[in-house]
Amino acid sequence: MRVAIFCHSLVSDWNHGNAHFLRGITSELLRRGHDVRVFEPVDSWSRENLVDQHGPESVYEFRIAYPQLTSTRYDERQIDLDAALDETDLVIVHEWNTPELVRRIGAHRERAHRYRLLFHDTHHRSATEPESMAAYDLSNYDGVLAFGEVIRQAYLDRKWAARAWTWHEAADTSVFKPLPCPGDKKDVVWIGNWGDDERTAELSEFLFEPVRSLGLRAQAYGVRYPEQAKAILAMAGMAYRGWLPNHRVPETFARFSATVHIPRRPYTEALPGIPTIRVFEALACGIPLVCSPWVDAEGLFRPGIDFLIASDGEEMKRHLQDLLNDEDMAAELVGNGLETIAAKHTCAHRVDELLDICLELGMPDRVAAQPAGAALRRTR
């Protein structure tokens, strides 16, 4: 089938975690023989910041890492939707697009009636800024792909959409997989953007203080770190390495003995059950993972088996010490995490789920061209 995806950026992952999953889904669809066209705005803030801070070579590196992926840059004021959506079977519009473009594509769908149209939400705004999401006109969309059950339910409860499916993120295991360590392993690595004030206190309790008090060899990667944050890292004894292209994450994980996941406050308070893609990617890379508290309300993982949960900073210290001192314990945790990812959390699983949705929406079997996958919580 022919698929069109409208997203903020496929090329740039600078402060743009949605690119991770979209790359994996697009790659998987292409591997199965589908025709995928990706559209991103010419003024994407993620791409502009990437090129401004890291030069055009950062875009070339993406093309080398993902030779199968391309995107078309468009000017929203001039885009010809008739040409862009010609002979398309499925259109996915990500929630970082403008309300006007979302409306225009919906109006085109009302006229064309020849493709299925889905809205894709992978952010906490539906729970934390509902007024901003209410501005999106989804009246001509077939439904919503929500990256967690609480988001799916919000669309239904607020009558923003008549149908919605839970469609979690996942790991692209063609990229995110265990790699050999090229030398001596350091202790702990943190890969994550600063996040304004959404997790400053949590970072201090669950990362900076444990690293400092244990004297660990640790490094941090990410963007939007103000000078004050860099100073805090330095006081904790952590080296700050800046932006890390996401396709280099597996080789980075391979050089460390453990990593941590510290979700932003909106995810722990308003969106229980929704992990960010960093959890999927870390487990897929085979690195022991310790998380600050979050509730796996949807039973995606086996907390305590696939990864460890630290209830406070002191427990984080104990978990990290145990993992660094007990190779058998670390190896068991790694094996469990890899098992869970392989069983149900790869981009191949998510494409199965997407094609299942296409069949539910009446798309012919010959167009979807793949067997249905795991059952989803859904509504009519």
Side-chain angles (χ1 to χ4, degrees):
M1 68 177 170
R2 175 169 290 178
V3 182
I5 298 175
F6 286 79
C7 62
H8 177 70
S9 183
L10 189 73
V11 171
S12 175
D13 57 35
W14 191 97
N15 200 45
H16 178 49
N18 304 130
H20 306 188
F21 182 55
L22 292 172
R23 290 169 180 175
I25 291 299
T26 302
S27 296
E28 180 63 25
L29 285 166
L30 290 171
R31 274 192 289 271
R32 300 188 188 196
H34 298 289
D35 177 7
V36 186
R37 299 177 179 180
V38 179
F39 297 87
E40 60 180 87
V42 70
D43 57 352
S44 156
W45 51 258
S46 178
R47 181 169 178 152
E48 287 181 348
N49 276 284
L50 178 66
V51 174
D52 180 60
Q53 297 188 28
H54 301 281
E57 58 269 24
S58 56
V59 175
Y60 303 149
E61 181 174 348
F62 162 79
R63 291 171 178 162
I64 292 171
Y66 294 94
Q68 76 279 19
L69 299 184
T70 60
S71 64
T72 298
R73 301 176 73 192
Y74 67 90
D75 184 331
E76 185 174 329
R77 297 165 298 181
Q78 301 177 6
I79 185 170
D80 182 346
L81 291 179
D82 286 336
L85 302 178
D86 183 44
E87 298 184 1
T88 300
D89 300 296
L90 173 67
V91 180
I92 299 174
V93 183
H94 192 264
E95 46 88 16
W96 272 120
N97 288 286
T98 66
E100 176 58 18
L101 181 68
V102 171
R103 184 200 64 77
R104 286 181 57 195
I105 294 175
H108 186 275
R109 163 67 170 78
E110 185 182 31
R111 296 194 305 272
H113 289 294
R114 64 174 176 269
Y115 54 81
R116 303 298 183 268
L117 178 58
L118 297 170
F119 188 68
H120 185 201
D121 191 336
T122 59
H123 199 266
H124 59 67
R125 289 188 297 163
S126 60
T128 59
E129 302 175 28
E131 66 284 351
S132 68
M133 298 309 296
Y136 289 93
D137 179 3
L138 304 181
S139 57
N140 293 309
Y141 283 64
D142 292 295
V144 172
L145 302 172
F147 82 139
E149 173 64 14
V150 66
I151 301 297
R152 183 191 79 89
Q153 198 60 51
Y155 275 88
L156 301 176
D157 290 345
R158 296 183 175 123
K159 303 190 184 307
W160 292 339
R163 306 174 89 180
W165 297 263
T166 299
W167 199 47
H168 282 285
E169 295 180 315
D172 178 359
T173 50
S174 69
V175 176
F176 296 88
K177 54 191 174 184
L179 296 177
C181 177
D184 179 46
K185 281 194 176 185
K186 293 182 174 59
D187 296 323
V188 175
V189 63
W190 156 258
I191 302 175
N193 302 326
W194 181 246
D196 301 315
D197 292 324
E198 290 183 343
R199 57 181 169 199
T200 304
E202 291 85 348
L203 283 169
S204 178
E205 179 180 3
F206 291 97
L207 180 62
F208 304 147
E209 180 55 24
V211 165
R212 186 200 64 77
S213 63
L214 295 174
L216 302 181
R217 297 176 298 166
Q219 295 180 3
Y221 293 84
V223 302
R224 298 184 67 205
Y225 280 66
E227 291 305 315
Q228 180 184 8
K230 295 176 185 177
I232 294 173
L233 284 170
M235 287 188 289
M238 296 186 69
Y240 174 59
R241 300 303 190 195
W243 172 67
L244 179 67
N246 201 49
H247 66 270
R248 290 193 197 170
V249 165
E251 65 188 56
T252 302
F253 277 150
R255 298 198 299 269
F256 291 84
S257 296
T259 189
V260 299
H261 171 60
I262 304 173
R264 299 170 190 248
R265 208 165 300 124
Y267 290 97
T268 60
E269 295 179 352
L271 304 175
I274 301 180
T276 70
I277 199 166
R278 298 288 188 189
V279 173
F280 299 104
E281 292 174 347
L283 296 182
C285 287
I287 185 171
L289 172 67
V290 187
C291 299
S292 65
W294 68 279
V295 179
D296 185 12
E298 298 185 51
L300 300 175
F301 302 103
R302 298 170 294 178
I305 298 176
D306 297 328
F307 52 79
L308 302 179
I309 292 282
S311 59
D312 54 30
E314 288 302 314
E315 190 169 25
M316 176 64 79
K317 293 178 190 178
R318 292 195 296 272
H319 283 331
L320 291 176
Q321 280 184 311
D322 289 343
L323 289 172
L324 295 174
N325 294 327
D326 189 333
E327 292 184 0
D328 291 339
M329 175 186 176
E332 182 178 2
L333 202 67
V334 165
N336 294 338
L338 288 170
E339 179 182 68
T340 295
I341 292 296
K344 55 183 180 180
H345 295 313
T346 71
C347 285
H349 290 104
R350 298 301 180 261
V351 167
D352 282 344
E353 294 169 0
L354 177 64
L355 297 176
D356 190 19
I357 291 169
C358 289
L359 294 175
E360 182 177 336
L361 291 173
M363 191 176 290
D365 289 10
R366 61 179 175 76
V367 177
Q370 290 292 333
L376 297 174
R377 286 182 294 275
R378 64 192 60 166
T379 188
R380 291 185 180 278

